[in-house]
């Protein structure tokens, strides 16, 4: 498929369109999904949306999104993020991209979408926050952006386990603890008086045990909305995604979650994972699970659940690879080696690093549009994302991307470059 991108200027448009459509037919798997939840606080929300259109109106260039939003201190941030994150990330995608360009642009657009959603919600001065695990599935490419401690795992058809999200709990993430203290925050346990400390590590002020979230206007700007992003391409055998809130992962290991539902259809699998988690620790928290099967076109309906002792081999047989006899000439021309490929991974909390020019699409960065909130900015008002960096003097005046003044304030606050007493001034912009 990369060959198609390289030939973009020499191949007639009609040929390119036919090639892309043929490629989509080859790679377009079936998406099956189910969810289950046992609610304790009513602060978990999900977004399950298939048939989103990359090119509006064509009915072919579709993708799917699945989101899990685990709220805390109320449900407002989770609800707002569920309702706005998809549109915000779409707005950050440039128009007129071919399929490969669109996939390559996803990581950067998701970062911008997360930050815009957080910025807009914080201006409402609501004090709740939310974790976010957000998966975009386009053909065989899965892109996951995450903040907080919900988790997304993948078991490939070959039986391999992949972690597609990061855990931003301060208790287990030393790099995030160092980032917060370097930015002026404090990390410690709850002090009950007399020197006794209890519970998990938390960020002070505010006492949040997560280092990244959307919302949480009351806990300081060291809690950032910049997501960890990972992008992989499945083999043609497909795979199973499990996205769950911490109510599941506090009770079950990844292997147990996969094993307890092996061979089950997606709805039953999600319900079984939630049931197993609640049995282990009781219903102490909202416990939510989404199970997504990415299935090759030739795969038959899921069989009845086999005995658990059969193990991983059952999943392999469910997601068998296509036989060579079924492959067309277009298959042979465009399919890459039939293994899971890791395409992209970045976890930095620094917005200036995440929106820099390392991305392959220079045309993503428009001179007079803010890279985060997408508002128009006058030529003399845009602020380069590189301002303040050691390389800024080497850059040309038009080297973007550019931010509006409000988003620049948000960026500086998140990166610890503003005085402690001035941390919330951007909320009133």
């Amino acid at each position: 498929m990369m060959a198609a991108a390289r030939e973009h200027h020499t191949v007639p448009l009609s040929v390119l369109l036919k090639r892309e459509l043929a490629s989509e037919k080859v790679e377009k798997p079936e998406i099956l999904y189910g969810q289950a939840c046992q609610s304790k606080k009513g602060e978990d929300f999900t977004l399950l949306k298939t048939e989103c259109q990359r090119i509006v109106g064509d009915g072919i260039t579709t993708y799917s999104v699945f989101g899990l939003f685990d709220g805390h201190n109320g449900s407002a941030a989770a609800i707002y993020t569920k309702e706005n994150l998809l549109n915000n990330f779409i707005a950050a995608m440039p128009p007129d991209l071919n399929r490969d360009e669109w996939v390559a642009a996803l990581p950067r657009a998701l970062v911008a979408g997360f930050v815009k959603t957080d910025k807009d919600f914080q201006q409402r001065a609501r004090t709740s926050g939310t974790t976010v695990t957000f998966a975009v599935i386009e053909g065989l490419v899965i892109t996951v952006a995450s903040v907080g401690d919900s988790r997304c795992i993948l078991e490939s058809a070959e039986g391999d386990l992949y972690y597609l999200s990061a855990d931003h709990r301060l208790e287990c993430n030393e790099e995030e603890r160092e980032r917060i203290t370097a930015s002026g925050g404090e990390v410690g346990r709850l002090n009950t008086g007399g020197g006794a400390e209890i519970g998990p590590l938390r960020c002070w002020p505010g006492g949040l045990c997560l280092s990244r979230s959307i919302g949480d206007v009351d806990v300081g700007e060291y809690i950032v909305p910049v997501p960890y992003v990972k992008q992989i391409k499945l083999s043609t055998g497909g795979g199973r995604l499990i996205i769950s809130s911490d109510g599941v992962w506090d009770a079950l290991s990844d292997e147990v979650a996969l094993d307890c539902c092996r061979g089950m259809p997606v709805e039953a699998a999600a319900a079984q994972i939630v049931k197993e988690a609640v049995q282990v620790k009781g219903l102490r928290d909202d416990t939510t699970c989404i199970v997504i099967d990415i299935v090759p076109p030739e795969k038959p309906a899921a069989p009845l659940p086999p005995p658990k002792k059969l193990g991983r081999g059952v999943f392999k047989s469910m997601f068998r690879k296509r036989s060579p006899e079924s492959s067309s000439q277009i298959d042979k021309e465009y399919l890459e080696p039939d293994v899971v490929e890791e395409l992209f991974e970045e976890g930095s909390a620094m917005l200036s690093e995440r929106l820099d020019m390392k991305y392959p699409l220079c045309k993503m960065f428009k001179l007079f549009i803010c890279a985060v909130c997408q508002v128009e900015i006058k030529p003399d008002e845009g602020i380069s994302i590189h301002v303040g960096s050691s390389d800024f003097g080497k850059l040309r005046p038009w080297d973007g991307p550019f931010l509006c003044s409000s988003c620049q304030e948000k960026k500086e606050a998140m990166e610890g470059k503003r005085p402690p007493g001035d941390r919330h001034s951007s909320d009133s912009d």
Side-chain angles (χ1 to χ4, degrees), residues 1 35-36 40 99 136 160 169 241 250 255 260 315 333 340 357 374 382 429:
M1 282 185 299
Q35 68 171 328
K40 177 75 172 178
R99 186 186 186 193
V136 180
D160 297 317
R169 285 190 184 183
L241 279 179
D250 286 345
E255 291 79 7
C260 78
F315 188 78
E333 183 177 354
V340 174
M357 296 300 289
Q374 306 302 304
D429 289 347

Side-chain angles (χ1 to χ4, degrees), residues 145-167:
S146 61
V147 292
D149 59 357
S150 295
R151 190 181 305 167
C152 179
I153 62 173
L154 164 74
E155 187 179 41
S156 70
E158 295 73 34
D160 297 317
L161 175 62
Y162 295 84
Y163 296 92
L164 304 186
S165 60
D167 193 336

